[in-house]
mmCIF file of all heavy atoms in Angstrom:
data_model
loop_
_atom_site.group_PDB
_atom_site.id
_atom_site.type_symbol
_atom_site.label_atom_id
_atom_site.label_comp_id
_atom_site.label_asym_id
_atom_site.label_seq_id
_atom_site.Cartn_x
_atom_site.Cartn_y
_atom_site.Cartn_z
ATOM 1 N N LEU A 1465 0.821 -1.208 0.000
ATOM 2 C CA LEU A 1465 0.000 0.000 0.000
ATOM 3 C C LEU A 1465 0.853 1.256 0.000
ATOM 4 O O LEU A 1465 0.416 2.324 -0.435
ATOM 5 C CB LEU A 1465 -0.923 0.013 1.231
ATOM 6 C CG LEU A 1465 -2.016 -1.055 1.304
ATOM 7 C CD1 LEU A 1465 -2.730 -0.967 2.646
ATOM 8 C CD2 LEU A 1465 -3.009 -0.897 0.154
ATOM 9 N N PHE A 1466 2.090 1.137 0.500
ATOM 10 C CA PHE A 1466 2.952 2.303 0.648
ATOM 11 C C PHE A 1466 4.083 2.346 -0.378
ATOM 12 O O PHE A 1466 4.577 3.412 -0.709
ATOM 13 C CB PHE A 1466 3.543 2.324 2.060
ATOM 14 C CG PHE A 1466 2.523 2.502 3.135
ATOM 15 C CD1 PHE A 1466 1.893 1.410 3.721
ATOM 16 C CD2 PHE A 1466 2.171 3.774 3.563
ATOM 17 C CE1 PHE A 1466 0.942 1.577 4.719
ATOM 18 C CE2 PHE A 1466 1.220 3.961 4.553
ATOM 19 C CZ PHE A 1466 0.596 2.858 5.126
ATOM 20 N N ASN A 1467 4.499 1.182 -0.845
ATOM 21 C CA ASN A 1467 5.605 1.138 -1.793
ATOM 22 C C ASN A 1467 5.345 0.100 -2.880
ATOM 23 O O ASN A 1467 4.578 -0.846 -2.674
ATOM 24 C CB ASN A 1467 6.918 0.782 -1.093
ATOM 25 C CG ASN A 1467 7.426 1.898 -0.207
ATOM 26 O OD1 ASN A 1467 7.164 1.925 0.995
ATOM 27 N ND2 ASN A 1467 8.166 2.825 -0.794
ATOM 28 N N LYS A 1468 6.011 0.274 -4.002
ATOM 29 C CA LYS A 1468 5.959 -0.716 -5.071
ATOM 30 C C LYS A 1468 7.104 -1.703 -4.890
ATOM 31 O O LYS A 1468 8.235 -1.313 -4.617
ATOM 32 C CB LYS A 1468 6.066 -0.033 -6.437
ATOM 33 C CG LYS A 1468 4.863 0.832 -6.787
ATOM 34 C CD LYS A 1468 5.040 1.481 -8.150
ATOM 35 C CE LYS A 1468 3.839 2.358 -8.497
ATOM 36 N NZ LYS A 1468 4.018 3.030 -9.809
ATOM 37 N N PHE A 1469 6.775 -2.985 -5.053
ATOM 38 C CA PHE A 1469 7.774 -4.041 -4.926
ATOM 39 C C PHE A 1469 7.856 -4.790 -6.255
ATOM 40 O O PHE A 1469 6.912 -5.468 -6.652
ATOM 41 C CB PHE A 1469 7.398 -5.003 -3.796
ATOM 42 C CG PHE A 1469 7.435 -4.370 -2.437
ATOM 43 C CD1 PHE A 1469 6.355 -3.647 -1.955
ATOM 44 C CD2 PHE A 1469 8.558 -4.481 -1.638
ATOM 45 C CE1 PHE A 1469 6.383 -3.054 -0.704
ATOM 46 C CE2 PHE A 1469 8.609 -3.892 -0.387
ATOM 47 C CZ PHE A 1469 7.518 -3.175 0.076
ATOM 48 N N LYS A 1470 8.977 -4.634 -6.924
ATOM 49 C CA LYS A 1470 9.165 -5.289 -8.219
ATOM 50 C C LYS A 1470 10.164 -6.424 -8.065
ATOM 51 O O LYS A 1470 11.223 -6.239 -7.455
ATOM 52 C CB LYS A 1470 9.676 -4.299 -9.261
ATOM 53 C CG LYS A 1470 8.707 -3.184 -9.596
ATOM 54 C CD LYS A 1470 9.087 -2.485 -10.903
ATOM 55 C CE LYS A 1470 10.539 -2.104 -10.943
ATOM 56 N NZ LYS A 1470 10.891 -1.368 -12.202
ATOM 57 N N PRO A 1471 9.840 -7.611 -8.592
ATOM 58 C CA PRO A 1471 10.829 -8.699 -8.570
ATOM 59 C C PRO A 1471 12.106 -8.282 -9.288
ATOM 60 O O PRO A 1471 12.065 -7.578 -10.300
ATOM 61 C CB PRO A 1471 10.111 -9.835 -9.316
ATOM 62 C CG PRO A 1471 8.655 -9.520 -9.217
ATOM 63 C CD PRO A 1471 8.566 -8.020 -9.218
ATOM 64 N N LEU A 1472 13.214 -8.689 -8.723
ATOM 65 C CA LEU A 1472 14.503 -8.379 -9.330
ATOM 66 C C LEU A 1472 14.589 -9.018 -10.715
ATOM 67 O O LEU A 1472 14.307 -10.214 -10.884
ATOM 68 C CB LEU A 1472 15.627 -8.904 -8.435
ATOM 69 C CG LEU A 1472 17.070 -8.661 -8.888
ATOM 70 C CD1 LEU A 1472 17.358 -7.172 -8.972
ATOM 71 C CD2 LEU A 1472 18.034 -9.344 -7.933
ATOM 72 N N GLU A 1473 14.962 -8.219 -11.688
ATOM 73 C CA GLU A 1473 15.006 -8.713 -13.061
ATOM 74 C C GLU A 1473 16.190 -9.661 -13.259
ATOM 75 O O GLU A 1473 17.215 -9.556 -12.576
ATOM 76 C CB GLU A 1473 15.124 -7.526 -14.021
ATOM 77 C CG GLU A 1473 13.895 -6.619 -14.022
ATOM 78 C CD GLU A 1473 14.043 -5.458 -14.989
ATOM 79 O OE1 GLU A 1473 15.126 -5.359 -15.606
ATOM 80 O OE2 GLU A 1473 13.096 -4.667 -15.119
ATOM 81 N N PRO A 1474 16.058 -10.605 -14.223
ATOM 82 C CA PRO A 1474 17.168 -11.530 -14.514
ATOM 83 C C PRO A 1474 18.424 -10.759 -14.901
ATOM 84 O O PRO A 1474 18.370 -9.717 -15.544
ATOM 85 C CB PRO A 1474 16.636 -12.348 -15.694
ATOM 86 C CG PRO A 1474 15.145 -12.268 -15.581
ATOM 87 C CD PRO A 1474 14.858 -10.900 -15.037
ATOM 88 N N GLY A 1475 19.544 -11.287 -14.465
ATOM 89 C CA GLY A 1475 20.815 -10.636 -14.758
ATOM 90 C C GLY A 1475 21.886 -11.140 -13.815
ATOM 91 O O GLY A 1475 21.677 -12.102 -13.046
ATOM 92 N N ALA A 1476 23.030 -10.482 -13.830
ATOM 93 C CA ALA A 1476 24.170 -10.921 -13.018
ATOM 94 C C ALA A 1476 23.848 -10.873 -11.532
ATOM 95 O O ALA A 1476 24.221 -11.795 -10.774
ATOM 96 C CB ALA A 1476 25.388 -10.052 -13.329
ATOM 97 N N LEU A 1477 23.159 -9.816 -11.078
ATOM 98 C CA LEU A 1477 22.846 -9.688 -9.653
ATOM 99 C C LEU A 1477 21.908 -10.793 -9.190
ATOM 100 O O LEU A 1477 22.165 -11.451 -8.174
ATOM 101 C CB LEU A 1477 22.222 -8.316 -9.372
ATOM 102 C CG LEU A 1477 21.757 -8.072 -7.925
ATOM 103 C CD1 LEU A 1477 22.910 -8.254 -6.952
ATOM 104 C CD2 LEU A 1477 21.136 -6.677 -7.789
ATOM 105 N N LYS A 1478 20.839 -11.031 -9.936
ATOM 106 C CA LYS A 1478 19.895 -12.065 -9.545
ATOM 107 C C LYS A 1478 20.554 -13.441 -9.563
ATOM 108 O O LYS A 1478 20.336 -14.256 -8.644
ATOM 109 C CB LYS A 1478 18.676 -12.055 -10.470
ATOM 110 C CG LYS A 1478 17.614 -13.068 -10.057
ATOM 111 C CD LYS A 1478 16.346 -12.921 -10.874
ATOM 112 C CE LYS A 1478 15.282 -13.905 -10.392
ATOM 113 N NZ LYS A 1478 14.015 -13.765 -11.143
ATOM 114 N N SER A 1479 21.367 -13.716 -10.558
ATOM 115 C CA SER A 1479 22.057 -15.008 -10.639
ATOM 116 C C SER A 1479 22.976 -15.210 -9.448
ATOM 117 O O SER A 1479 23.031 -16.298 -8.864
ATOM 118 C CB SER A 1479 22.867 -15.089 -11.942
ATOM 119 O OG SER A 1479 22.011 -15.016 -13.069
ATOM 120 N N ALA A 1480 23.691 -14.148 -9.049
ATOM 121 C CA ALA A 1480 24.605 -14.241 -7.909
ATOM 122 C C ALA A 1480 23.837 -14.477 -6.619
ATOM 123 O O ALA A 1480 24.255 -15.289 -5.771
ATOM 124 C CB ALA A 1480 25.439 -12.965 -7.811
ATOM 125 N N ILE A 1481 22.715 -13.790 -6.458
ATOM 126 C CA ILE A 1481 21.911 -13.952 -5.238
ATOM 127 C C ILE A 1481 21.318 -15.356 -5.162
ATOM 128 O O ILE A 1481 21.361 -16.008 -4.110
ATOM 129 C CB ILE A 1481 20.794 -12.885 -5.196
ATOM 130 C CG1 ILE A 1481 21.398 -11.488 -5.000
ATOM 131 C CG2 ILE A 1481 19.801 -13.189 -4.072
ATOM 132 C CD1 ILE A 1481 20.401 -10.363 -5.176
ATOM 133 N N MET A 1482 20.747 -15.829 -6.274
ATOM 134 C CA MET A 1482 20.130 -17.157 -6.271
ATOM 135 C C MET A 1482 21.181 -18.245 -6.058
ATOM 136 O O MET A 1482 20.924 -19.245 -5.369
ATOM 137 C CB MET A 1482 19.384 -17.382 -7.581
ATOM 138 C CG MET A 1482 18.259 -16.378 -7.847
ATOM 139 S SD MET A 1482 17.034 -16.239 -6.512
ATOM 140 C CE MET A 1482 16.178 -17.803 -6.703
ATOM 141 N N ALA A 1483 22.370 -18.051 -6.624
ATOM 142 C CA ALA A 1483 23.448 -19.030 -6.429
ATOM 143 C C ALA A 1483 23.862 -19.088 -4.966
ATOM 144 O O ALA A 1483 24.079 -20.173 -4.403
ATOM 145 C CB ALA A 1483 24.642 -18.672 -7.306
ATOM 146 N N TYR A 1484 23.949 -17.917 -4.340
ATOM 147 C CA TYR A 1484 24.302 -17.895 -2.911
ATOM 148 C C TYR A 1484 23.205 -18.546 -2.078
ATOM 149 O O TYR A 1484 23.484 -19.349 -1.174
ATOM 150 C CB TYR A 1484 24.536 -16.459 -2.424
ATOM 151 C CG TYR A 1484 24.661 -16.394 -0.925
ATOM 152 C CD1 TYR A 1484 25.823 -16.811 -0.284
ATOM 153 C CD2 TYR A 1484 23.597 -15.971 -0.133
ATOM 154 C CE1 TYR A 1484 25.933 -16.800 1.092
ATOM 155 C CE2 TYR A 1484 23.688 -15.950 1.245
ATOM 156 C CZ TYR A 1484 24.859 -16.365 1.851
ATOM 157 O OH TYR A 1484 24.951 -16.366 3.217
ATOM 158 N N ALA A 1485 21.944 -18.213 -2.355
ATOM 159 C CA ALA A 1485 20.825 -18.796 -1.605
ATOM 160 C C ALA A 1485 20.833 -20.318 -1.708
ATOM 161 O O ALA A 1485 20.618 -21.022 -0.718
ATOM 162 C CB ALA A 1485 19.502 -18.224 -2.110
ATOM 163 N N ASN A 1486 21.099 -20.841 -2.892
ATOM 164 C CA ASN A 1486 21.171 -22.294 -3.070
ATOM 165 C C ASN A 1486 22.328 -22.892 -2.287
ATOM 166 O O ASN A 1486 22.233 -24.012 -1.755
ATOM 167 C CB ASN A 1486 21.318 -22.632 -4.559
ATOM 168 C CG ASN A 1486 20.052 -22.343 -5.351
ATOM 169 O OD1 ASN A 1486 18.951 -22.375 -4.802
ATOM 170 N ND2 ASN A 1486 20.202 -22.039 -6.636
ATOM 171 N N SER A 1487 23.429 -22.152 -2.180
ATOM 172 C CA SER A 1487 24.613 -22.671 -1.491
ATOM 173 C C SER A 1487 24.383 -22.849 0.006
ATOM 174 O O SER A 1487 25.060 -23.650 0.653
ATOM 175 C CB SER A 1487 25.811 -21.749 -1.730
ATOM 176 O OG SER A 1487 25.683 -20.538 -0.991
ATOM 177 N N ILE A 1488 23.437 -22.088 0.578
ATOM 178 C CA ILE A 1488 23.148 -22.220 2.012
ATOM 179 C C ILE A 1488 21.792 -22.889 2.247
ATOM 180 O O ILE A 1488 21.259 -22.856 3.357
ATOM 181 C CB ILE A 1488 23.189 -20.856 2.717
ATOM 182 C CG1 ILE A 1488 22.138 -19.895 2.138
ATOM 183 C CG2 ILE A 1488 24.580 -20.243 2.657
ATOM 184 C CD1 ILE A 1488 21.949 -18.631 2.956
ATOM 185 N N ASP A 1489 21.220 -23.468 1.170
ATOM 186 C CA ASP A 1489 19.938 -24.168 1.260
ATOM 187 C C ASP A 1489 18.829 -23.235 1.768
ATOM 188 O O ASP A 1489 18.055 -23.584 2.651
ATOM 189 C CB ASP A 1489 20.068 -25.395 2.170
ATOM 190 C CG ASP A 1489 18.879 -26.346 2.021
ATOM 191 O OD1 ASP A 1489 18.280 -26.364 0.940
ATOM 192 O OD2 ASP A 1489 18.564 -27.052 3.004
ATOM 193 N N PHE A 1490 18.765 -22.060 1.190
ATOM 194 C CA PHE A 1490 17.750 -21.069 1.548
ATOM 195 C C PHE A 1490 16.758 -20.974 0.400
ATOM 196 O O PHE A 1490 17.098 -20.552 -0.705
ATOM 197 C CB PHE A 1490 18.415 -19.702 1.780
ATOM 198 C CG PHE A 1490 17.468 -18.619 2.240
ATOM 199 C CD1 PHE A 1490 17.230 -18.409 3.588
ATOM 200 C CD2 PHE A 1490 16.826 -17.801 1.318
ATOM 201 C CE1 PHE A 1490 16.373 -17.400 4.009
ATOM 202 C CE2 PHE A 1490 15.962 -16.794 1.727
ATOM 203 C CZ PHE A 1490 15.742 -16.596 3.086
ATOM 204 N N SER A 1491 15.521 -21.412 0.649
ATOM 205 C CA SER A 1491 14.509 -21.382 -0.417
ATOM 206 C C SER A 1491 14.121 -19.941 -0.711
ATOM 207 O O SER A 1491 13.689 -19.206 0.170
ATOM 208 C CB SER A 1491 13.268 -22.183 0.002
ATOM 209 O OG SER A 1491 12.680 -21.630 1.155
ATOM 210 N N LEU A 1492 14.304 -19.551 -1.949
ATOM 211 C CA LEU A 1492 14.069 -18.170 -2.327
ATOM 212 C C LEU A 1492 13.496 -18.126 -3.733
ATOM 213 O O LEU A 1492 14.134 -18.544 -4.695
ATOM 214 C CB LEU A 1492 15.393 -17.387 -2.287
ATOM 215 C CG LEU A 1492 15.332 -15.896 -2.579
ATOM 216 C CD1 LEU A 1492 14.522 -15.172 -1.513
ATOM 217 C CD2 LEU A 1492 16.748 -15.319 -2.641
ATOM 218 N N ASN A 1493 12.249 -17.645 -3.832
ATOM 219 C CA ASN A 1493 11.614 -17.534 -5.138
ATOM 220 C C ASN A 1493 12.043 -16.273 -5.867
ATOM 221 O O ASN A 1493 12.204 -16.265 -7.081
ATOM 222 C CB ASN A 1493 10.087 -17.550 -4.991
ATOM 223 C CG ASN A 1493 9.583 -18.883 -4.482
ATOM 224 O OD1 ASN A 1493 10.158 -19.927 -4.795
ATOM 225 N ND2 ASN A 1493 8.529 -18.857 -3.678
ATOM 226 N N ASN A 1494 12.215 -15.195 -5.073
ATOM 227 C CA ASN A 1494 12.601 -13.945 -5.712
ATOM 228 C C ASN A 1494 13.082 -12.949 -4.668
ATOM 229 O O ASN A 1494 12.828 -13.101 -3.472
ATOM 230 C CB ASN A 1494 11.422 -13.332 -6.477
ATOM 231 C CG ASN A 1494 11.890 -12.656 -7.760
ATOM 232 O OD1 ASN A 1494 12.960 -12.057 -7.799
ATOM 233 N ND2 ASN A 1494 11.083 -12.766 -8.800
ATOM 234 N N VAL A 1495 13.788 -11.951 -5.144
ATOM 235 C CA VAL A 1495 14.193 -10.801 -4.342
ATOM 236 C C VAL A 1495 13.440 -9.606 -4.901
ATOM 237 O O VAL A 1495 13.261 -9.488 -6.117
ATOM 238 C CB VAL A 1495 15.717 -10.567 -4.435
ATOM 239 C CG1 VAL A 1495 16.116 -9.317 -3.653
ATOM 240 C CG2 VAL A 1495 16.466 -11.778 -3.922
ATOM 241 N N PHE A 1496 12.989 -8.722 -4.004
ATOM 242 C CA PHE A 1496 12.183 -7.592 -4.443
ATOM 243 C C PHE A 1496 12.960 -6.288 -4.305
ATOM 244 O O PHE A 1496 13.734 -6.098 -3.371
ATOM 245 C CB PHE A 1496 10.888 -7.519 -3.631
ATOM 246 C CG PHE A 1496 9.945 -8.647 -3.908
ATOM 247 C CD1 PHE A 1496 10.052 -9.847 -3.214
ATOM 248 C CD2 PHE A 1496 8.954 -8.525 -4.869
ATOM 249 C CE1 PHE A 1496 9.192 -10.901 -3.473
ATOM 250 C CE2 PHE A 1496 8.083 -9.569 -5.134
ATOM 251 C CZ PHE A 1496 8.204 -10.762 -4.440
#
């Protein structure tokens, strides 16, 4: 209601974040 939350677009940053999340077994669908 106060802010817009957009899923992080595909790219180097998202790939790095998802790779790290997988390395620590952290289920993560998206970063906003």
Side-chain angles (χ1 to χ4, degrees):
L1465 294 174
F1466 295 90
N1467 289 94
K1468 293 180 180 178
F1469 294 84
K1470 295 197 311 182
L1472 181 62
E1473 294 180 358
L1477 176 57
K1478 183 173 183 178
S1479 297
I1481 292 170
M1482 300 306 288
Y1484 170 76
N1486 290 333
S1487 73
I1488 61 169
D1489 194 28
F1490 184 90
S1491 61
L1492 183 64
N1493 294 327
N1494 216 324
V1495 177
F1496 292 87

